[in-house]
């Protein structure tokens, strides 16, 4: 049996904190970065070993991306993860999403579907159920605000034109972009998606607002209904 070393008994070069101070965070492995966040392991397991188990759970998504799919309840089922560590890990996942979104602050002009997708991919692609998000733009295509207008099931969410228009008018939006995710990772729209989008576009036109696009978010891919000709 290999000897067990606590974190403090490890050579300095192998301790995540000291390694980070000496070489920078980019020198740390995924497990070591995670170990720095959770700080401590158990009496029989180092923080790094616990991190490795979290990143390689059988039957689960692997690697750091898996943290985007765990709820606090699910994390606490892992031996060695209690209330505090579960909260820390969920907050790390949320912080990463917000850091990504911060690069696309209010006031930025969105001119292409790709720009919009870049801003919202990380926020939407990890959702386990479908969410419909409304992006509201001013006369120059700059972001005014965004809002989740519907949360659904694993394969559907309700897009209500009335809710969209009420929200858009409250923010005095001129252009709108609807985004929603497909938890399957495949962004192909259903016939129902296409028809409700066309009804929404017609409703927007009545009140002098333009529905610029409806973008379906998959896993690192997307589909623009405007680009595909579903919105004329």
């Amino acid at each position: 049996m290999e000897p067990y070393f606590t974190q403090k008994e490890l050579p300095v070069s192998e301790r995540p904190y000291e390694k980070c101070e000496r070489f920078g965070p980019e020198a740390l492995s995924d497990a070591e970065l995670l170990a720095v966040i959770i700080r401590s392991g158990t009496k029989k397991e180092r923080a790094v070993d616990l991190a490795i188990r979290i990143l390689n759970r059988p039957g689960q998504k692997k690697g750091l991306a898996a943290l985007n799919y765990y709820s606090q309840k699910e994390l606490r089922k892992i031996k060695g993860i209690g209330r505090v560590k579960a909260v820390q890990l969920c907050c790390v996942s949320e912080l990463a999403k917000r850091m990504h979104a911060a690069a696309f602050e209010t006031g930025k002009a969105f001119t292409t579907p790709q720009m919009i997708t870049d801003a919202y991919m990380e926020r939407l692609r990890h959702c386990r159920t479908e969410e419909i998000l409304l992006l509201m733009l001013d006369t120059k295509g700059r972001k005014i605000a965004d809002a989740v207008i519907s949360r659904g099931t694993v394969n559907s969410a309700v897009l209500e034109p009335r809710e969209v228009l009420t929200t858009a008018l409250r923010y005095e939006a001129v252009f709108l972009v609807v985004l929603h995710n497909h938890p399957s990772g495949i962004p192909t729209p259903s016939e129902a998606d296409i028809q409700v989008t066309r009804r929404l576009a017609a409703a927007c036109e009545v009140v002098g607002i333009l529905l610029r696009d409806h973008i379906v978010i998959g896993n690192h891919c997307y589909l623009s209904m405007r680009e595909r000709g579903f919105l004329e």
Side-chain angles (χ1 to χ4, degrees), residues 125-155:
R125 77 181 181 94
H126 301 296
C127 295
R128 291 183 171 184
T129 58
E130 287 197 14
E131 291 192 4
I132 299 176
L133 185 144
L134 181 64
L135 172 61
M136 292 162 281
L137 308 171
D138 65 13
T139 55
K140 295 184 178 180
R142 295 174 302 194
K143 177 181 173 181
I144 298 171
D146 60 43
V148 174
I149 57 172
S150 178
R151 288 187 170 93
T153 65
V154 70
N155 58 12

Side-chain angles (χ1 to χ4, degrees), residues 68-83:
N68 291 296
Y69 298 93
Y70 285 127
S71 66
Q72 292 183 45
K73 184 177 180 181
E74 289 168 331
L75 284 166
R76 293 184 68 174
K77 293 179 181 178
I78 302 173
K79 185 178 180 181
I81 299 294
R83 171 176 168 269

Side-chain angles (χ1 to χ4, degrees), residues 37 68 88-102:
I37 301 300
N68 291 296
Q88 288 173 330
L89 292 173
C90 284
C91 286
V92 165
S93 174
E94 181 61 25
L95 182 62
K97 294 174 186 176
R98 295 191 189 188
M99 288 173 67
H100 177 82

Side-chain angles (χ1 to χ4, degrees), residues 10-221:
L10 284 171
V12 172
S13 62
E14 294 183 30
R15 299 177 195 170
Y17 283 89
E18 287 78 359
K19 187 175 179 180
C20 181
E21 288 178 329
R22 186 173 179 182
F23 301 109
E26 62 275 10
L28 273 60
S29 67
D30 290 351
E32 289 170 331
L33 285 169
L34 194 56
V36 170
I37 301 300
I38 60 179
R39 298 182 62 185
S40 61
T42 65
K43 291 182 179 179
K44 296 183 178 180
E45 188 175 43
R46 293 184 295 264
V48 171
D49 299 320
L50 175 56
I52 290 172
R53 280 202 298 110
I54 295 170
L55 298 176
N56 294 282
R57 288 192 72 200
Q60 303 291 329
K61 292 181 180 294
K62 301 294 191 294
L64 290 175
L67 295 179
N68 291 296
Y69 298 93
Y70 285 127
S71 66
Q72 292 183 45
K73 184 177 180 181
E74 289 168 331
L75 284 166
R76 293 184 68 174
K77 293 179 181 178
I78 302 173
K79 185 178 180 181
I81 299 294
R83 171 176 168 269
V84 173
K85 286 187 175 65
V87 169
Q88 288 173 330
L89 292 173
C90 284
C91 286
V92 165
S93 174
E94 181 61 25
L95 182 62
K97 294 174 186 176
R98 295 191 189 188
M99 288 173 67
H100 177 82
F104 304 91
E105 71 282 355
T106 299
K108 181 179 179 65
F110 289 99
T111 58
T112 67
Q114 184 65 63
M115 289 179 66
I116 296 169
T117 301
D118 288 344
Y120 290 94
M121 177 63 72
E122 290 307 305
R123 178 170 173 178
L124 291 173
R125 77 181 181 94
H126 301 296
C127 295
R128 291 183 171 184
T129 58
E130 287 197 14
E131 291 192 4
I132 299 176
L133 185 144
L134 181 64
L135 172 61
M136 292 162 281
L137 308 171
D138 65 13
T139 55
K140 295 184 178 180
R142 295 174 302 194
K143 177 181 173 181
I144 298 171
D146 60 43
V148 174
I149 57 172
S150 178
R151 288 187 170 93
T153 65
V154 70
N155 58 12
S156 68
V158 179
L159 177 59
E160 291 285 357
R162 178 179 179 179
E163 180 67 21
V164 171
L165 291 176
T166 299
T167 305
L169 290 169
R170 185 166 68 246
Y171 283 93
E172 300 182 348
V174 177
F175 301 112
L176 302 178
V177 177
V178 171
L179 300 99
H180 88 272
N181 65 299
H182 279 180
S184 67
I186 303 171
T188 305
S190 66
E191 184 60 31
D193 288 336
I194 296 169
Q195 293 305 319
V196 74
T197 300
R198 288 172 172 165
R199 290 198 299 271
L200 176 59
C204 287
E205 188 175 354
V206 171
V207 297
I209 298 174
L210 175 65
L211 178 62
R212 182 174 279 182
D213 207 345
H214 182 168
I215 298 173
V216 185
I217 300 290
N219 188 21
H220 287 304
C221 54

